[in-house]
Amino acid sequence: MANKKTLCFKCNKNKITYPCEGCSKYFCLMDLTEHRQILNEELNYVINDYDQFKQRINERKQNPQDHSLIKQINLWEIKSIEKIQEKAQEYREMLMKSSQTCIDDIEMKLNDLHKKIKQFQNENEFNEINLNQLRKKVIEIAKEFSNPSNMSIQQNSRSLINEISIILSKKSTFTKWKQNGITVAGGNGEGQKLNQLNRPGGILIDKKKNIFIADYANHRIVEWKYNAKEGQIIAGGNKQGNRMNQLNRPTDLIVNQQNYSIIIADFGNKRVVQWLNQKQQILIDNIDCSRLAIDKYGFLYVSDDRKSEVRRWKMGKYNNEGVIVAGGNGEGDQFNQLALPSFIFVDEDQSVYVSDRYNHRVMKWRKDAKEGIVVAGGNGQGKNLNQLSYPAGVVVDDLGQIYVADGENHRIMRWCEGKEKGEIIIGGNGKGSKSNQLNGPIGLSFDDEGNLYVADWGNDRVAKFEIIL
């Protein structure tokens, strides 16, 4: 607040003036009040635009058949008569599902925008800069809604009919992260104290943002509550060993949120074990279990280092050898082989993504496929954008974008299936312990807000990289 007289920007009179942080101009008290009223009116305009756009979203949700591409499909169906009716329905469902996903994504962004608008209204601390940001965000989202770039029609000429296909490009929007991470677990040097980690591997973030960590060299599983300064041991922690209450270099875990049972890849003991209320059970024995995954149907997937394969078991039925879903043809670099399969991810279609470490690539094996396809790397070991070096953690989002912990390159990359190159989203600033550096990243996980968590193996910490909306 000023304490001497200066020229008011509005009335141009020499008065006691007060600054506006947004426009950096000085106003007398009367004109400052008027200036704030104008800002409030402009905020109301933004709110009105938001409400109108929200109404358009609701109309689209209620009438998904009004999509322009759906109309093209209907016209094609009529001309092609009964020969293509079955396929036309298949395309409709595919398009509506993708359109619904797009709408859900836009609604999520609108909800975040609404929170910011409400915050400005409640706190009454906003300026021209804030309003410009809000206005720009509404325009960006409206443009995305009006001109979705992830859908198009591809037409191929045939002898009797012109068959069409739905092309869904894997284009991300609003998916960037702050480059300086926040240490949310460990980070206090290598050790076995409750505020320390020793080579963290697989990680998992639950809906409450609690972090579950396979603390590899401490032979334990620890849970770090949200914003906690130290973790708590929930499995193992009784020194290295093969007794039922011990673990030996655990590499990965799955947490059942309903009963909080934990399934653990007990790598050093060559077994997969389940802990429930401190009671242990061996689920699978005599397996070089590196990593775990579970699909929406409750099938358990385990990668086997020694056999260079991934097997699947139905949850609760482990009295067999499981089913091979990737690899299983010996160690090698052919499309039906793997070489040290590591982290795995299973999508909605039960396609299995595998970090093929020694081949410096990520492979995708569709359900019941006899061989996989390369979806990241596969161009030899290196640090170019079309290469990986000992890839580790892999996660695939709803758009089919593949996130890879590129271990020896100390970076996190994002790849789109079918693209020749990936992009660096985190790290890539050399090996180190600074907030914008990584040291052999290994485990990856996202929380419900899209924040990215990285098990920073060489730095004995888990770092959180916040999403930028």
Side-chain angles (χ1 to χ4, degrees):
M1 184 178 293
N3 55 12
K4 60 181 180 179
K5 294 183 177 181
T6 56
L7 287 177
C8 171
F9 175 78
K10 183 71 180 294
C11 66
N12 205 28
K13 294 182 180 180
N14 201 30
K15 296 182 178 181
I16 295 176
T17 57
Y18 307 88
C20 172
E21 294 182 0
C23 63
S24 301
K25 297 180 177 66
Y26 286 78
F27 301 87
C28 65
L29 184 59
M30 181 178 296
D31 289 331
L32 180 63
T33 301
E34 183 180 351
H35 183 64
R36 295 301 301 177
Q37 290 175 346
I38 293 173
L39 294 180
N40 276 311
E41 291 176 359
E42 293 185 5
L43 177 61
N44 289 331
Y45 292 146
V46 174
I47 295 173
N48 184 60
D49 291 341
Y50 166 86
D51 291 337
Q52 291 181 2
F53 185 58
K54 180 67 175 177
Q55 183 177 354
R56 290 177 62 196
I57 289 288
N58 291 334
E59 291 174 354
R60 174 67 65 84
K61 290 180 66 175
Q62 293 173 1
N63 301 287
Q65 291 283 352
D66 289 342
H67 199 289
S68 61
L69 296 183
I70 295 291
K71 295 177 181 178
Q72 290 185 41
I73 292 173
N74 290 339
L75 178 61
W76 164 81
E77 181 187 12
I78 292 172
K79 291 181 178 180
S80 301
I81 318 175
E82 296 181 354
K83 292 182 180 180
I84 57 173
Q85 286 183 343
E86 181 178 351
K87 183 154 290 200
Q89 182 61 26
E90 174 186 346
Y91 287 148
R92 286 194 198 95
E93 293 174 356
M94 185 187 302
L95 186 59
M96 284 189 288
K97 180 180 178 181
S98 178
S99 179
Q100 186 63 47
T101 300
C102 181
I103 292 172
D104 292 342
D105 183 54
I106 291 175
E107 281 193 310
M108 181 178 67
K109 296 166 188 172
L110 284 176
N111 290 336
D112 292 335
L113 184 60
H114 183 253
K115 292 178 183 178
K116 290 185 179 180
I117 292 174
K118 285 296 184 182
Q119 181 180 353
F120 287 145
Q121 282 185 303
N122 295 335
E123 298 177 357
N124 197 26
E125 293 183 359
F126 57 90
N127 50 51
E128 287 87 350
I129 296 174
N130 304 130
L131 288 172
N132 286 336
Q133 292 174 343
L134 291 175
R135 190 177 294 109
K136 181 179 179 181
K137 188 66 67 176
V138 171
I139 293 173
E140 289 176 347
I141 299 176
K143 183 177 179 181
E144 179 186 356
F145 176 77
S146 300
N147 301 294
S149 58
N150 69 323
M151 294 180 286
S152 62
I153 295 292
Q154 176 175 296
Q155 183 167 304
N156 297 312
S157 179
R158 295 288 181 89
S159 58
L160 295 177
I161 64 173
N162 289 326
E163 185 174 351
I164 64 173
S165 301
I166 301 299
I167 305 300
L168 304 176
S169 65
K170 308 301 184 180
K171 181 176 180 181
S172 68
T173 54
F174 300 102
T175 48
K176 294 184 178 180
W177 291 264
K178 294 180 180 179
Q179 294 303 295
N180 292 309
I182 303 169
T183 298
V184 291
N188 297 300
E190 174 187 314
Q192 57 183 356
K193 296 179 181 178
L194 291 180
N195 69 340
Q196 293 179 307
L197 297 170
N198 191 348
R199 300 296 186 262
I203 58 174
L204 184 148
I205 316 299
D206 70 9
K207 293 183 179 181
K208 297 180 180 179
K209 294 187 176 63
N210 301 319
I211 309 168
F212 297 84
I213 308 166
D215 196 4
Y216 178 84
N218 280 327
H219 315 291
R220 65 190 185 186
I221 305 297
V222 292
E223 176 187 4
W224 287 61
K225 297 290 188 181
Y226 180 60
N227 283 338
K229 300 299 181 183
E230 62 181 32
Q232 60 185 46
I233 301 171
I234 57 175
N238 299 304
K239 298 183 180 180
Q240 181 179 10
N242 61 3
R243 298 197 308 269
M244 289 303 296
N245 69 340
Q246 291 179 310
L247 296 172
N248 183 356
R249 291 174 291 153
T251 52
D252 208 359
L253 74 155
I254 295 172
V255 178
N256 186 330
Q257 297 297 327
Q258 295 181 345
N259 60 10
Y260 261 63
S261 65
I262 308 166
I263 299 176
I264 304 167
D266 192 8
F267 180 76
N269 286 322
K270 299 181 182 296
R271 65 191 184 188
V272 176
V273 296
Q274 177 176 270
W275 284 55
L276 175 60
N277 299 325
Q278 293 301 312
K279 294 182 180 180
Q280 302 82 34
Q281 177 187 2
I282 297 176
L283 303 182
I284 307 170
D285 205 357
N286 192 27
I287 181 173
D288 287 80
C289 50
S290 179
R291 308 295 167 181
L292 306 173
I294 191 169
D295 67 19
K296 64 180 182 180
Y297 301 106
F299 287 94
L300 178 67
Y301 298 73
V302 184
S303 60
D304 189 323
D305 285 4
R306 181 170 56 86
K307 294 183 179 180
S308 296
E309 64 186 22
V310 178
R311 288 181 179 263
R312 180 185 69 205
W313 280 265
K314 185 171 180 60
M315 192 69 77
K317 296 182 179 180
Y318 305 107
N319 56 349
N320 55 58
E321 295 184 352
V323 177
I324 296 176
V325 293
N329 297 295
E331 181 176 323
D333 61 0
Q334 301 302 308
F335 291 143
N336 67 342
Q337 293 179 307
L338 299 168
L340 193 69
S342 179
F343 282 84
I344 48 181
F345 182 90
V346 185
D347 68 13
E348 290 289 310
D349 300 321
Q350 291 183 294
S351 293
V352 180
Y353 297 77
V354 187
S355 286
D356 194 7
R357 283 179 65 82
Y358 284 175
N359 286 323
H360 311 290
R361 66 189 184 185
V362 175
M363 300 289 289
K364 176 182 178 180
W365 292 63
R366 291 187 172 88
K367 184 180 179 183
D368 300 326
K370 299 302 180 183
E371 62 181 33
I373 60 173
V374 179
V375 292
N379 297 297
Q381 181 181 7
K383 60 182 179 180
N384 295 325
L385 292 181
N386 69 340
Q387 294 178 306
L388 296 170
S389 182
Y390 295 103
V394 57
V395 177
V396 183
D397 67 15
D398 293 337
L399 293 174
Q401 299 176 125
I402 305 143
Y403 298 82
V404 185
D406 192 7
E408 291 298 309
N409 285 324
H410 315 292
R411 64 191 185 186
I412 310 300
M413 297 194 71
R414 174 170 57 195
W415 293 67
C416 292
E417 185 177 334
K419 298 294 183 180
E420 294 182 358
K421 297 180 180 180
E423 60 177 322
I424 301 171
I425 60 169
I426 298 294
N429 302 305
K431 177 181 177 180
S433 59
K434 296 179 180 178
S435 60
N436 70 338
Q437 291 181 309
L438 298 169
N439 183 357
I442 185 164
L444 293 180
S445 187
F446 287 93
D447 64 21
D448 288 344
E449 296 178 358
N451 301 307
L452 175 59
Y453 296 74
V454 181
D456 197 4
W457 174 272
N459 286 321
D460 302 302
R461 68 187 179 187
V462 176
K464 172 185 176 182
F465 295 87
E466 296 180 333
I467 192 170
I468 301 174
L469 298 176

